[in-house]
Amino acid sequence: MLSLRVLILGGAGEAAELGRRLAGDARFAPVLSFAGRTRAPSLPPIPYRIGGFGGVEGLVQWMSEHQCDALVCATHPFAGQMRRHAVEAARRGGRPLLMLERPAWVPAAGDRWIEVADMAAAARALGDKPRRVLLTIGQKDLAPFRAAPQHSYVIRSIERPSAESLPPHAELISARGPFTAADERALLLAGRIEALVTKNSGGAATAAKLAAACELGVDVVMVQRPPAPDLDGADVDVATDAAGALAWLVARHDEASRRRGV
Ligand code: NAP
């Protein structure tokens, strides 16, 4: 039986789920790639590698050396550079690519969202008046909030942020989702939070904060996703979840089996 060699660029929960679905399936020989930003990543039940490839060239070379048949980009929606590199490497290396794109959140009735393009705009959108702000934007995009030192921040992230990136009045919480509505309500109330800043990551694992903010009348500053890569000239399909990615891989496997007469 043909075993389709697949490189999965990880970082989003869907990548881990796809890894679980592929484990033990003889039709596939997958490798899950991590950037290496998380000190204690939860390791998948399939082969994995850790660290950057060295740009587009490095990724093309890796796929060639490992005779990779297909590429799945399941990075976080805000990993804009890796997503661009995946498209360019697939184009140059002539590999089929699946982009896993989790749908963005959309405001519901009663939501008080201020939608902004980037973190600097998010910091400005908090206004001049001192407020208590919850930042759930990860640990690496905090620096713009140093330009808004009038606010008091509660910063929730998986990894501890570097001291240099922190605004002056910052309290740190280390936690990894999923979070329940009750968790989020309790956090907003305990912190006397008046505004929440979040990336529009989409997905269920971290959506409960939006419902809790709506219920408690907390303003939400929603940072929009980076622009999608230009897909022109690449063999690219899009799926919205791990089940869709698996269906795409099965179709690639069956097509390759037919071509090779296996
Ligand atoms: P990025 O800016 O798009 O990528 C920066 C560089 O990191 C890439 O050029 C690549 O280095 C390396 N890289 C990224 N993802 C990789 C992967 N899966 N395997 C190997 N190398 C990878 O990414 P980022 O925003 O720094 O995010 C880093 C990782 O954290 C990503 O995997 C992403 O999915 C995850 N993450 C990001 C966020 C976020 O908000 N940005 C949130 C949750 C998780 P080379 O050029 O050397 O290949």
Side-chain angles (χ1 to χ4, degrees):
M1 185 199 282
L2 179 138
S3 201
L4 196 80
R5 285 172 295 248
V6 184
L7 174 62
I8 305 166
L9 302 171
E14 289 84 348
E17 193 191 333
L18 182 58
R20 285 191 291 274
R21 287 175 184 242
L22 292 176
D25 188 331
R27 293 173 297 178
F28 304 103
V31 174
L32 178 48
S33 175
F34 296 107
R37 303 282 195 280
T38 312
R39 273 186 285 272
S42 22
L43 296 176
I46 58 171
Y48 62 90
R49 64 171 298 286
I50 299 180
F53 295 92
V56 175
E57 279 307 325
L59 180 53
V60 172
Q61 193 180 336
W62 193 98
M63 289 194 295
S64 165
E65 280 170 9
H66 293 80
Q67 298 174 300
C68 184
D69 298 305
L71 178 62
V72 174
C73 184
T75 56
H76 188 271
F78 278 74
Q81 177 164 307
M82 191 69 249
R83 297 176 80 78
R84 281 195 308 281
H85 286 189
V87 174
E88 186 52 29
R91 195 185 278 129
R92 285 199 217 166
R95 257 77 180 181
L97 165 67
L98 181 76
M99 298 295 282
L100 223 157
E101 279 182 17
R102 185 194 292 169
W105 291 316
V106 289
D111 276 336
R112 302 149 60 96
W113 287 16
I114 303 163
E115 300 194 61
V116 296
D118 55 32
M119 284 306 158
R124 288 195 297 276
L126 293 170
D128 296 333
K129 193 174 128 240
R131 302 170 91 186
R132 291 198 50 87
V133 179
L134 174 62
L135 298 181
T136 60
I137 54 171
Q139 86 282 11
K140 78 176 178 79
D141 297 311
L142 297 168
F145 295 91
R146 292 174 64 84
Q150 67 276 29
H151 307 299
S152 302
Y153 297 95
V154 175
I155 300 172
R156 181 173 72 190
S157 58
I158 298 176
E159 298 289 324
R160 199 180 170 80
S162 68
E164 319 80 78
S165 68
L166 295 176
H169 310 290
E171 178 191 327
L172 304 182
I173 298 177
S174 168
R176 185 195 289 268
F179 303 104
T180 66
D183 292 337
E184 300 298 51
R185 204 172 178 281
L187 175 62
L188 293 176
L189 285 172
R192 292 173 287 112
I193 298 300
E194 298 166 284
L196 161 71
V197 180
T198 177
K199 295 175 175 176
N200 195 334
S201 301
T206 57
K209 62 190 170 190
L210 302 176
C214 179
E215 182 195 336
L216 298 174
V218 169
D219 288 333
V220 173
V221 178
M222 183 65 73
V223 181
Q224 298 306 294
R225 294 179 175 190
D230 173 11
L231 305 183
D232 242 25
D235 177 4
V236 187
D237 289 300
V238 177
T240 55
D241 56 18
L246 179 60
W248 183 84
L249 285 172
V250 169
R252 297 285 77 70
H253 171 272
D254 294 352
E255 189 185 298
S257 298
R258 271 195 306 277
R259 251 196 341 261
R260 295 181 207 176
V262 191

